[in-house]
Amino acid sequence: MSYTNILTEVHGKVGLVTLNRPKQLNALSDALIDELGTALAAFDADDTIGCMVLTGNDKAFAAGADIGAMSQWGFVDVYRNDYITRNWETIRRVRKPIIAAVRGFALGGGCELAMMCDMIFAADTARFGQPEVKLGVLPGAGGTQRLPRAVGKAKAMDMCLTARMIDASEAERAGLVARVVPADRCVAEALEAAATISSYSLPTVLMIKESINRAFESPLNEGLLFERRLFHATFATSDQKEGMSAFLEKRLPSFTNR
Ligand code: DAK
């Protein structure tokens, strides 16, 4: 499959997707989001892949939805096309973990895209923001919902209402990012973490992602029950037997994803 707006590579058991509209700071056109969904779904379906990394370039992860394309659309255009929902939601359906490796700007839809991933590794050059208010719109790809869950109400209000950008260390203090790393190590460190994840039992990894995401969708009792049942289910896998035997036999496990 060849793409126009993204690049894809395979590093061992890790699928790497690079947003590739550098002249527009990786502005997220409809065509780009279509390609991104196709690429992530393909890696998700590929048994040789265990985890994905999504990145941009040194200047921008993505500077938001494509303002040039959006500027002339009317209500009926975006409503009839189910703008955002139509293709952005593909990313939510990916079951394997996705790490966003963010260098430079992650603004508007770019910040929202990073938050749709399972964790964010931020370069020390990263800047996060939801500046849609300056354009006369509000965040439309989950920013008003995922940002407060990540950083709390106060900082989410500050970012969405004033359009203030936060840097990588503020993002880490607020809980938006998992790690801050030097810019020239950002993708490498994300690939290393993704390789580590890919070395584990895939069904177990999928269950962990599903269970953590459930924490944001359900009351504590329901979430705990969901976790407990998945935990019980791991005892039906060969990988649970292998993982525990390997520990007791003081050797590395050899998981078969069964
Ligand atoms: N869209 C299109 N082009 C963009 C862009 C964007 N978001 N961001 C940057 N570019 C383009 C610039 O127009 C410029 O193009 P040329 O002039 O060279 O042709 C090129 O990228 C380089 O940008 P700058 O010259 O501006 O570079 P600077 O270093 O000076 O500034 C910047 C970098 C990131 C601070 C600046 O480019 C900037 O402020 N960009 C816009 C950031 C932004 O506002 N992002 C939020 C976009 S809105 C919905 C409706 C709306 C939305 C969602 C849903 N529904 C109806 C459901 C909105 C979502 C958004 O993300």
Side-chain angles (χ1 to χ4, degrees):
M1 182 86 192
S2 74
Y3 299 106
T4 310
N5 300 285
I6 61 171
L7 304 168
T8 60
E9 291 167 39
V10 172
H11 293 250
K13 293 168 79 176
V14 178
L16 173 65
V17 181
T18 305
L19 305 176
N20 190 34
R21 296 184 77 207
K23 286 193 186 127
Q24 294 84 16
L25 304 186
N26 291 332
L28 301 164
S29 63
D30 230 25
L32 183 150
I33 295 293
D34 277 339
E35 290 186 2
L36 178 60
T38 302
L40 292 174
F43 282 139
D44 208 30
D46 183 340
D47 283 342
T48 67
I49 298 293
C51 189
M52 281 84 100
V53 172
L54 175 61
T55 195
N57 56 49
D58 281 338
K59 179 153 186 191
F61 176 75
D66 193 329
I67 301 170
M70 283 188 295
S71 62
Q72 296 308 313
W73 293 340
F75 166 75
V76 174
D77 300 316
V78 291
Y79 184 70
R80 283 283 290 124
N81 293 334
D82 213 3
Y83 180 53
I84 305 286
T85 311
R86 186 187 69 76
N87 47 10
W88 288 61
E89 293 289 316
T90 313
I91 300 154
R92 277 188 76 192
R93 288 195 290 275
V94 173
R95 297 184 70 199
K96 292 171 187 166
I98 309 173
I99 302 174
V102 175
R103 296 162 287 163
F105 296 112
L107 302 179
C111 187
E112 292 168 305
L113 176 59
M115 288 191 290
M116 288 174 88
C117 298
D118 299 299
M119 57 181 139
I120 301 174
F121 285 13
D124 46 15
T125 57
R127 309 275 303 276
F128 298 88
Q130 297 290 163
E132 289 89 342
V133 68
K134 294 205 290 191
L135 302 170
V137 290
L138 67 153
T144 66
Q145 303 305 303
R146 291 197 182 92
L147 192 61
R149 283 169 168 78
V151 304
K153 176 181 168 183
K155 216 169 267 292
M157 286 285 186
D158 184 5
M159 290 171 69
C160 293
L161 289 174
T162 71
R164 182 174 74 85
M165 290 186 218
I166 62 172
D167 64 17
S169 60
E170 186 173 358
E172 187 183 35
R173 283 198 305 279
L176 181 60
V177 310
R179 303 184 193 178
V180 179
V181 290
D184 60 359
R185 283 278 310 145
C186 187
V187 175
E189 188 138 337
L191 287 171
E192 282 165 24
T196 299
I197 292 166
S198 301
S199 74
Y200 300 131
S201 163
L202 179 63
T204 309
V205 164
L206 299 185
M207 287 183 198
I208 291 170
K209 168 169 169 165
E210 203 173 10
S211 194
I212 291 178
N213 282 333
R214 189 54 75 104
F216 297 95
E217 314 275 358
S218 53
L220 181 61
N221 267 340
E222 292 303 316
L224 287 172
L225 182 62
F226 185 79
E227 177 199 82
R228 198 64 34 83
R229 294 298 178 233
L230 286 182
F231 173 74
H232 292 160
T234 60
F235 284 73
T237 67
S238 306
D239 284 344
Q240 175 264 339
K241 303 285 176 295
E242 169 62 12
M244 294 193 179
S245 300
F247 175 80
L248 294 173
E249 292 160 16
K250 301 190 187 302
R251 60 174 175 82
L252 288 174
S254 174
F255 293 121
T256 55
N257 298 334
R258 302 298 305 173

